[in-house]
């Protein structure tokens, strides 16, 4: 057991998962999604067949290195006009695919396990990182209600998550995230800056040379 962080070992959840509180409001549930990985990956496949992953353009005109898609009532999009949520996939003009039940249940269970009861996400952003892809330091601020937490599921290759403070220049914690890990954050952590370092080369047995992240939010 590490001394500096409050780390407990659960006795009663699906997989025996280590739980780590890395700052007030942010909880890492190691391996929380592992027992559902096959159903979750099958559902990811269904969503991205209907709404293919694509690299969006930032308002500044740069193409993001991370490829994205969405499911649920709302999807996060970026283009020259800015960042926002949209009920439709701009590529097809059709609504985003419905959120698979296994997604909604996983997000709800993870949030509850972290102390946020009754989390009902209406948006799930799917991020695909190939080696070299990264996500620059940012805040999640396009949602309406900052009292609701965010649930983030990591699948495939490991990544280093940067977890900063409320000001862009605050020093950042580097948290390694592995296949099956779930991070829940809300409350005082909700507006913290964060990002993902460039993905390292590798091959994951189920996903190959990529990392998939599912980010669940209550956007409306
Ligand atoms: C990622 N995640 O892990 C990107 N944002 O690939 C995020 O930007 C993120 O994981 C808010 C809360 C949790 C997250
Ligand atoms: Fe984010």
């Amino acid at each position: 057991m590490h001394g500096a962080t409050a780390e407990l070992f659960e006795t009663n959840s699906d997989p025996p998962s280590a739980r780590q509180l890395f700052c007030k409001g942010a909880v890492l549930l190691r391996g929380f999604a592992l027992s559902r990985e096959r159903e979750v990956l099958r559902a990811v496949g269904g969503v991205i067949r209907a709404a293919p992953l694509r690299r969006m353009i930032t308002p500044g005109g740069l193409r993001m290195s991370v490829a994205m898609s969405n499911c649920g009532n709302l999807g996060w999009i970026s283009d020259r006009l800015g960042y926002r949520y949209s009920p439709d996939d701009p590529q097809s003009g059709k609504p985003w695919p419905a959120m698979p039940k296994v997604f909604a249940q996983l997000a709800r269970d993870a949030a509850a396990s972290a102390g946020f009861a009754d989390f009902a996400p209406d948006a799930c952003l799917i991020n695909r990182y190939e080696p070299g892809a990264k996500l620059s330091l940012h805040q999640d601020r396009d949602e309406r209600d900052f009292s609701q937490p965010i649930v983030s599921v990591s699948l495939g290759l490991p990544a280093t998550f940067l977890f900063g403070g409320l000001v862009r220049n605050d020093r950042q914690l580097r948290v390694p995230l592995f296949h099956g890990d779930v991070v829940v954050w809300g409350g005082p952590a909700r507006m913290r800056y964060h990002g993902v370092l460039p993905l390292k080369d590798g091959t994951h047995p189920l996903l190959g040379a990529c990392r998939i992240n599912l980010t669940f939010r209550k956007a409306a």
Side-chain angles (χ1 to χ4, degrees):
M1 192 88 80
H2 306 295
T5 49
E7 195 172 40
L8 320 169
F9 290 89
E10 287 195 88
T11 54
N12 60 351
S13 79
D14 271 356
S17 68
R19 175 188 307 231
Q20 195 176 339
L21 188 72
F22 53 90
C23 80
K24 221 169 181 296
V27 183
L28 166 55
L29 306 169
R30 280 274 183 232
F32 191 87
L34 282 177
S35 64
R36 318 179 200 193
E37 66 180 359
R38 276 162 206 288
E39 298 90 314
V40 168
L41 288 174
R42 198 175 314 124
V44 169
V47 170
I48 65 180
R49 263 193 305 280
L53 292 159
R54 80 295 303 262
R55 291 168 57 204
M56 298 184 191
I57 305 288
T58 66
L62 300 174
R63 190 171 289 278
M64 299 178 78
S65 59
V66 179
M68 300 180 176
S69 183
N70 291 278
C71 61
N73 290 342
L74 290 169
W76 186 87
I77 60 172
S78 175
D79 61 20
R80 309 250 175 196
L81 301 178
Y83 305 126
R84 62 198 178 279
Y85 283 91
S86 165
D88 300 320
D89 176 349
Q91 209 159 272
S92 66
K94 293 189 300 190
W96 295 106
M99 193 179 306
K101 288 215 170 61
V102 62
F103 278 21
Q105 193 64 50
L106 172 60
R108 188 181 185 83
D109 292 348
S113 176
F116 297 93
D118 299 323
F119 179 52
D122 55 14
C124 173
L125 173 64
I126 302 178
N127 294 315
R128 185 195 62 203
Y129 297 72
E130 288 177 333
K134 66 178 173 67
L135 198 60
S136 307
L137 215 57
H138 66 278
Q139 289 172 303
D140 287 19
R141 55 197 312 166
D142 302 316
E143 300 75 28
R144 203 159 280 160
D145 181 0
F146 296 145
S147 77
Q148 290 300 302
I150 298 173
V151 172
S152 170
V153 179
S154 292
L155 298 165
L157 288 179
T160 302
F161 196 70
L162 291 178
F163 197 71
L166 296 175
V167 172
R168 184 179 284 279
N169 287 327
D170 285 344
R171 63 159 293 143
Q172 296 135 26
L173 206 62
R174 290 175 175 221
V175 182
L177 294 179
F178 300 97
H179 178 75
D181 288 352
V182 180
V183 178
V184 180
W185 64 354
R190 183 64 179 73
M191 297 313 286
R192 281 183 179 250
Y193 277 88
H194 57 280
V196 178
L197 289 182
L199 198 78
K200 292 196 186 130
D201 277 319
T203 307
H204 185 271
L206 293 177
L207 277 162
C210 80
R211 168 180 186 254
I212 299 271
N213 165 265
L214 310 175
T215 303
F216 293 94
R217 304 187 181 93
K218 177 91 176 70

